Amino acid sequence: MSFKTADEAHAEGERRQRRGEHEGALAAFEAALKLDPRHAAALNDAGWLLTTTLSERPGARGRGLELLRDAIAAGPDDTRPLYNFADACVAVGQLGEALAPVQAALQRRPDWAEAWNLRGWLRGVKGDDPRGGLDDLQQALRHRFWYGDAHLNRGRIFVAFGEHAEAESALRLALRCGCFRPGEAHYRLAGLHERRGHLRRALGHYRRAFEVGAAEFQQDAAGGVVRCGNALHHRGAFFVHADEQIRLATIDREDRRPRPIADVLVEVRRELARVPEGSEDSQIEVGRLGLLAAEACLEGHVLEPRWTDQSPALAIELLATGFTGERHDALRRLAEDVRRIWLELYDELLAREEPDPEASALAEVERLTGERDHAAAIAALRAIDVCDNGHLLRRADVAERLGDRARLHGDVQVALDLYRLAHGDFARYASYATAGAEGMARMRDVNRLNGKLSELGDR
């Protein structure tokens, strides 16, 4: 490649990277660095490729880390190389190395919300200092409250602590603020709702996680959809016609009337039986596993998973891998039909989703606070029904957080009123808690509020 300027070479590298031509992209970035060894964007992009997609090349990770260090030095106010370097260090178990440039960045710019968020992620999510991580994330939110990724990281830490009300509040805020990984936020919220028996809400979040989630959550989210849908079916909350609709999905919908899937599976079993057992063809063996999975899923009701996180559509896709040509394409179309009908049925179920009045009430509190109508906000917060312990913790969490915001803006009396409300809710929950760990966690909340009230001269 021949380029006149480093910017031209870098632009070509970006074009190739968008097309998935990783080797060509790296060559273009390296050409940019020959023309300008301190080209910050080329340093970052080349380092990222060498520590991710091309990391299996000999010496790639070490070279990539060096390039990312140089990118941080060349663009000290750019978050991308800082985050890419942290990701690469975490991938090879070098947490201390990841923290060093973040600490330096915060010494230089103490108000840098992204750097506080990154340090909170490194310490609290990836490291072994979750409380320190929460402190860092609180600093990030102090400088930029509507920061979705900081709320997501708080949610991750609270989930690990088992502090479910705080986790739910943080994850909801992450979605409202537009976090970078909405699929993960939906997936974790789904798990919290499923644990508490709110199956329709869990189903809705699993469905969204399946649609928008990162690859590592998609399979688990699909399993959650099946699991919650099946539980609702057994409660009598689903529909008997689901089974018949999916059984009549067709594999050649343009030319023939729909046929029961069981008939298709009988034909496929005959075809696979012509191949001797113990065949060295790995695709055939995978196809046999898919056939067993599909038959098991379709024995009773189609939503019934017969082993962990299995579903009819996934089983039929697995079966399709045992074939090539027309049969492969027909089975893939069948899987698409099953998934389409399956999701339509869940949409019908989600239309009956349980109301969540406390969520809209809390949103109204956030709106009033944003407009600095503190008296109305506190009144609305006190009016929220807290007969459920989960709602009690959500109200306490919101009251404390809004108190922090009021204190930051110098509204001392408002902060005191909010801290008193949060203190009372946490103390009330602590008096109910029977489990030792849960009671201790709530007493830590009470003690933290005691400290904040004391700092404002109340106790």
Side-chain angles (χ1 to χ4, degrees):
M1 298 184 202
S2 177
F3 303 99
K4 293 180 180 178
T5 66
D7 286 343
E8 181 187 339
H10 179 257
E12 176 62 20
E14 288 185 311
R15 279 191 292 272
R16 290 179 177 241
Q17 191 167 317
R18 283 193 295 271
R19 295 197 298 260
E21 300 171 10
H22 304 301
E23 295 282 356
L26 179 62
F29 294 143
E30 288 176 336
L33 294 174
K34 285 182 181 177
L35 293 165
D36 179 4
R38 289 187 55 78
H39 193 286
L43 287 165
N44 173 66
D45 292 338
W48 179 82
L49 274 175
L50 287 169
T51 54
T52 55
T53 310
L54 303 178
S55 62
E56 298 305 314
R57 289 172 44 159
R61 285 188 189 274
R63 169 70 175 146
L65 286 168
E66 288 302 319
L67 289 172
L68 289 171
R69 282 193 187 91
D70 292 344
I72 293 168
D77 292 317
D78 188 351
T79 59
R80 292 173 302 166
L82 205 60
Y83 275 65
N84 289 339
F85 181 75
D87 280 338
C89 287
V90 167
V92 295
Q94 298 178 1
L95 194 63
E97 288 290 315
L99 278 165
V102 183
Q103 308 274 33
L106 288 171
Q107 286 178 355
R108 187 173 57 83
R109 280 183 55 186
D111 61 345
W112 195 357
E114 287 86 351
W116 283 112
N117 174 61
L118 180 55
R119 195 170 88 156
W121 176 73
L122 288 168
R123 295 173 69 193
V125 179
K126 294 298 179 180
D128 57 1
D129 185 11
R131 289 298 174 190
L134 286 174
D135 290 342
D136 290 340
L137 295 169
Q138 196 61 46
Q139 285 293 325
L141 294 170
R142 176 171 169 256
H143 296 296
R144 180 160 40 118
F145 180 75
W146 295 102
Y147 188 0
D149 290 344
H151 288 299
L152 175 59
N153 283 326
R154 290 181 80 242
R156 287 165 162 166
I157 295 171
F158 284 133
V159 167
F161 274 148
E163 297 181 5
H164 296 158
E166 293 92 333
E168 182 181 347
S169 176
L171 293 168
R172 283 180 179 275
L173 279 167
L175 289 170
R176 193 182 307 166
C177 298
C179 61
F180 183 66
R181 291 169 64 86
E184 180 181 352
H186 278 295
Y187 179 76
R188 294 187 183 281
L189 271 172
L192 294 173
H193 283 306
E194 186 180 2
R195 250 182 237 115
R196 282 152 53 181
H198 299 164
L199 294 178
R200 283 194 178 91
R201 293 184 207 170
L203 179 60
H205 285 295
Y206 278 132
R207 174 72 191 282
R208 289 298 294 149
F210 179 79
E211 290 174 344
V212 306
E216 67 264 33
F217 289 103
Q218 207 161 39
Q219 176 76 1
D220 289 339
V225 171
V226 173
R227 195 167 54 248
C228 292
N230 191 56
L232 285 164
H233 165 68
H234 285 301
R235 283 186 183 180
F238 211 3
F239 355 78
V240 295
H241 69 270
D243 182 73
E244 190 60 24
Q245 281 195 25
I246 297 182
R247 283 183 182 281
L248 290 177
T250 178
I251 63 168
D252 42 14
R253 52 185 176 273
E254 294 177 0
D255 305 321
R256 287 178 162 183
R257 293 174 58 193
R259 292 186 299 152
I261 293 176
D263 291 355
V264 177
L265 296 180
V266 168
E267 292 176 6
V268 170
R269 178 168 281 285
R270 288 197 197 105
E271 290 179 50
L272 288 174
R274 297 191 190 107
V275 181
E277 292 288 339
S279 166
E280 294 184 2
D281 188 337
S282 60
Q283 282 187 309
I284 292 293
E285 295 309 307
V286 171
R288 284 198 172 101
L289 288 173
L291 178 63
L292 289 171
E295 289 177 334
C297 286
L298 294 159
E299 272 178 13
H301 193 279
V302 299
L303 294 173
E304 184 80 48
R306 297 306 172 106
W307 51 81
T308 306
D309 293 346
Q310 186 56 272
S311 74
L314 292 172
I316 293 166
E317 285 180 345
L318 185 66
L319 173 57
T321 62
F323 296 89
T324 58
E326 186 178 341
R327 173 60 80 187
H328 174 271
D329 295 342
L331 287 168
R332 294 285 297 188
R333 288 198 301 273
L334 175 59
E336 289 171 13
D337 274 357
V338 170
R339 183 170 282 117
R340 174 180 53 78
I341 295 169
W342 179 57
L343 293 178
E344 285 172 2
L345 292 167
Y346 281 123
D347 283 339
E348 185 179 330
L349 183 62
L350 287 174
R352 312 173 193 173
E353 187 173 358
E354 298 159 351
D356 187 7
E358 72 278 5
S360 58
L362 288 170
E364 177 65 7
V365 170
E366 293 277 1
R367 184 188 68 78
L368 291 167
T369 305
E371 294 174 1
R372 300 182 71 78
D373 188 351
H374 296 304
I378 293 172
L381 198 56
R382 291 186 183 280
I384 290 173
D385 181 7
V386 290
C387 58
D388 177 275
N389 284 346
H391 298 172
L392 185 68
L393 284 184
R394 283 174 71 180
R395 186 173 78 170
D397 180 68
V398 170
E400 182 180 5
R401 181 164 43 75
L402 295 179
D404 290 340
R405 194 192 306 179
R407 183 180 180 183
L408 180 66
H409 290 294
D411 299 318
V412 175
Q413 188 55 51
V414 173
L416 279 168
D417 289 343
L418 288 162
Y419 284 157
R420 288 175 188 135
L421 176 59
H423 179 275
D425 284 350
F426 281 132
R428 178 175 157 192
Y429 191 100
S431 69
Y432 298 157
T434 55
E438 182 71 6
M440 287 293 292
R442 298 290 73 80
M443 286 309 301
R444 283 199 299 269
D445 293 327
V446 171
N447 291 336
R448 183 177 65 251
L449 265 299
N450 279 335
K452 290 182 178 182
L453 287 164
S454 178
E455 289 169 5
L456 294 181
D458 188 63
R459 287 173 182 264

